[in-house]
Amino acid sequence: MTEEWKPTADQTNGVISSSCEFIKDEANDLLEELQCPPDYIAGILKSIASDFESKEKKDA
């Protein structure tokens, strides 16, 4: 049985936090530039997440 991976507090407060902020900023920039509904940006982000979930299943 494999233990679930969890980030350290330093990772959460450092690289993860800054990456999340960067992604949110980029999504907001795209929203402003495209003048599209927020749901469209959410769809893009969900598609990216789905790609990572698919990769995880392939690697298992």
Side-chain angles (χ1 to χ4, degrees):
M1 187 171 181
T2 306
E3 200 173 310
E4 185 178 337
W5 182 86
K6 292 182 182 181
T8 65
D10 285 343
Q11 289 170 327
T12 299
N13 296 325
V15 67
I16 293 171
S17 178
S18 62
S19 293
C20 287
E21 194 62 36
F22 175 78
I23 292 166
K24 285 194 288 185
D25 288 345
E26 290 295 309
N28 280 320
D29 289 349
L30 191 56
L31 182 68
E32 187 175 315
E33 184 172 331
L34 296 178
Q35 294 294 299
C36 63
D39 285 351
Y40 184 78
I41 303 301
I44 292 171
L45 295 171
K46 288 174 187 173
S47 176
I48 294 167
S50 178
D51 288 347
F52 277 90
E53 290 169 345
S54 296
K55 180 177 173 36
E56 184 176 294
K57 289 177 186 172
K58 288 179 188 175
D59 292 344

